[in-house]
């Protein structure tokens, strides 16, 4: 490891030294080692550098950078600097881009087209179902799914991408070795093994109030399009959408129930000019290379609710079919679904159980919703 690389990492990790100040210091002193060797008086004379920042720099040594690099390596990760070939190109030119990154997993994913999928930490059943279908279809088509490793729809997007045989990038608001939220431990390990974990925080750093908004700009920065699935007022998903707009990237949103607070943000994004995402083809307009390959190899179209033309499986019983048809327009309380299907309660409950076993419907919070309808009979799929 060169002393200059270690000095750069030490300097980049100094509190109060962002990418702009770092560039100013490197220009002023010629190198990172030059900055760390400079007397405090010279540091204090640099325009725009506060006394507190100058004092923090004066206390740094290349060994601090060596320690951070070694800590990442012990966990199986690596430190990436903007000049490294593996550093993601899409993040190099951001106005507030990262001065360095820590990567754990497969950095080749930075070379592939990505879509950011973000949403509520406390989603509705509808949001969860749509997010799962969208992320799974996008990953199966060849897109890398990027999200923030939070509970709720972030975790759903990562999991669906991997379950579909695709891959994903999880952007952390903390350093490697810290699992946040703790419930995502298994997902953390799975993404590291089959995708990529990314952070601009050194190993061991715990999350704080400002780390998640800063993380959001990296999520959108990695992707050509950011899709917001559900978002309540003031949510992190809306911050990510704003970051995407400031970066000149596309923003799309899933239309939602007008009476649901979780769809407040997505519906307003659409009102204000974001494109509504109704099926995968809407997204793939922005990925012509993926769309062309998909047309050659996957002619059958599929909507976000998992319905492949001409609709429901042909082997459903009459009660099962009627119950599914009742749920076509969205989730319903169980008693209302039974009423709309015009079935005796016992018959409807038995049909719902069979459909749930087949993965066609799901129950949550006393509501029943169409999850992922199977292809029609004759396609060779169940």
């Amino acid at each position: 490891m060169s002393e200059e690389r270690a000095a750069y990492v030490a300097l980049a990790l100094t509190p109060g030294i962002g990418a702009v100040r770092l560039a100013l210091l490197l220009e002023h002193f010629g190198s990172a080692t030059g900055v760390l060797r400079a007397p405090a008086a010279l540091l204090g004379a640099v325009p725009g550098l506060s006394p507190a920042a100058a004092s923090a720099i004066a206390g740094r040594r290349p060994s601090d950078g060596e320690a951070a690099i070694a800590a990442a390596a012990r966990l199986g990760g690596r430190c990436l600097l903007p000049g490294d070939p593996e550093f993601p190109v899409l993040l190099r030119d951001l106005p507030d881009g990262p001065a360095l990154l820590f990567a754990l997993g497969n950095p080749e994913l930075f070379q592939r087209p990505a879509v950011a999928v973000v949403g509520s930490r406390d989603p509705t059943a509808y949001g969860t179902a749509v997010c799962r279908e969208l992320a799974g279809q996008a990953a199966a088509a060849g897109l890398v799914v990027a999200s923030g490793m939070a509970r709720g729809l972030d975790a759903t997007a990562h999991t669906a991408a991997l379950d579909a045989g695709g891959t994903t990038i999880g952007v952390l608001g903390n350093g490697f070795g810290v699992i946040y939220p703790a419930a995502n431990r298994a997902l953390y390990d799975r993404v590291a093994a089959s995708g990529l974990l990314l952070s601009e925080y050194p190993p061991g750093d715990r999350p704080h109030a400002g780390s998640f908004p800063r993380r959001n700009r990296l999520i959108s920065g990695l992707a050509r399009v950011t899709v917001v699935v559900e978002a309540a007022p003031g949510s992190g998903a809306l911050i990510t959408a704003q970051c995407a707009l400031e970066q000149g990237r596309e923003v799309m949103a899933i239309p939602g129930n007008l009476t649901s607070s979780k769809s407040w943000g997505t519906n307003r994004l659409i009102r204000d000019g974001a494109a509504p995402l109704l099926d995968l083809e809407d997204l793939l307009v922005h990925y012509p290379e993926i769309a062309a390959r998909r047309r050659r190899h996957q002619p059958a179209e599929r909507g976000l609710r998992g319905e492949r033309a001409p609709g429901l499986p042909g082997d459903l019983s009459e009660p099962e079919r009627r119950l599914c048809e009742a749920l076509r327009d969205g989730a319903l309380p169980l008693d209302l679904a039974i009423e709309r299907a015009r079935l005796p309660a016992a018959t409807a409950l038995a049909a719902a159980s069979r459909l749930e076993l087949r993965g066609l419907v799901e129950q949550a919070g006393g509501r029943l919703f169409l999850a992922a309808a199977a292809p029609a009979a004759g396609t060779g799929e169940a």
Side-chain angles (χ1 to χ4, degrees):
M1 181 193 310
S2 71
E3 183 183 13
E4 176 63 18
R5 187 177 184 85
Y8 178 97
V9 173
L11 186 58
L13 293 177
T14 302
I17 305 300
V20 174
R21 280 183 174 173
L22 179 56
L24 177 67
L25 287 164
L26 293 175
E27 182 179 0
H28 194 89
F29 292 99
S31 67
T33 51
V35 176
L36 296 189
R37 290 171 182 168
L42 283 180
L43 290 169
V46 176
L49 194 67
S50 67
S55 177
I57 293 170
R60 301 293 272 181
R61 300 290 182 271
S63 58
D64 298 322
E66 292 174 357
I69 294 170
R74 284 194 297 271
L75 293 169
R78 69 193 79 185
C79 183
L80 301 179
L81 276 54
D84 293 344
E86 293 176 324
F87 195 93
V89 174
L90 288 176
L91 298 183
R92 280 190 180 132
D93 298 328
L94 294 184
D96 57 348
L100 83 169
L101 293 168
F102 293 93
L104 177 58
N106 180 11
E108 293 181 3
L109 298 187
F110 293 138
Q111 311 303 319
R112 292 172 50 183
V115 57
V117 179
V118 297
S120 174
R121 284 175 167 78
D122 185 24
T124 66
Y126 163 78
T128 300
V130 172
C131 183
R132 183 187 301 119
E133 197 66 28
L134 167 64
Q137 288 187 25
L143 292 173
V144 175
V145 174
S147 197
M149 291 295 291
R151 65 182 175 87
L153 294 184
D154 284 17
T156 297
H158 293 303
T159 301
L162 295 173
D163 286 348
T167 191
T168 185
I169 297 175
V171 185
L172 305 177
N174 50 264
F176 297 154
V178 176
I179 311 298
Y180 184 86
N184 277 356
R185 178 173 294 276
L187 179 60
Y188 181 103
D189 292 339
R190 192 178 177 197
V191 173
S194 302
L196 178 72
L197 290 171
L198 189 68
S199 176
E200 58 184 323
Y201 301 100
D205 256 28
R206 300 199 61 80
H208 54 81
S211 62
F212 294 109
R214 285 192 59 77
R215 170 209 61 180
N216 292 344
R217 82 195 198 287
L218 301 186
I219 298 172
S220 60
L222 288 167
R224 199 178 300 173
V225 178
T226 291
V227 180
V228 184
V229 178
E230 285 187 323
S235 66
L238 293 180
I239 295 175
T240 307
Q242 184 59 40
C243 290
L245 292 172
E246 292 171 357
Q247 293 162 352
R249 310 293 167 80
E250 294 289 335
V251 173
M252 304 186 78
I254 301 294
N257 188 334
L258 293 178
T259 65
S260 171
S261 64
K262 302 300 169 57
S263 293
W264 183 94
T266 52
N267 289 335
R268 276 159 179 73
L269 284 172
I270 293 169
R271 180 196 66 185
D272 295 339
L277 197 158
L278 304 181
D279 58 40
L280 188 64
E281 299 310 310
D282 294 336
L283 176 64
L284 294 186
V285 166
H286 303 288
Y287 301 88
E289 69 277 35
I290 298 293
R293 185 169 70 234
R294 188 167 182 267
R295 282 193 295 270
R296 289 195 299 270
H297 301 293
Q298 190 178 344
E301 301 300 335
R302 190 172 179 177
L304 289 186
R305 298 310 300 269
E307 296 161 340
R308 194 189 302 256
L312 295 169
D315 60 347
L316 294 183
S317 66
E318 180 62 17
E320 291 167 348
R321 185 190 62 77
R322 286 165 65 176
L323 193 57
C324 285
E325 291 292 347
L327 299 170
R328 286 284 198 180
D329 294 328
L332 293 172
L334 188 56
D335 56 350
L336 184 55
I338 291 172
E339 179 183 337
R340 289 196 179 177
R342 298 182 181 179
L343 293 169
T347 301
L349 289 172
S353 296
R354 292 192 297 271
L355 291 167
E356 193 169 9
L357 287 173
R358 292 183 63 173
L360 299 180
V361 303
E362 295 183 21
Q363 297 188 54
R367 296 171 70 83
L368 195 67
F369 61 96
L370 200 61
T379 63
E381 300 182 47

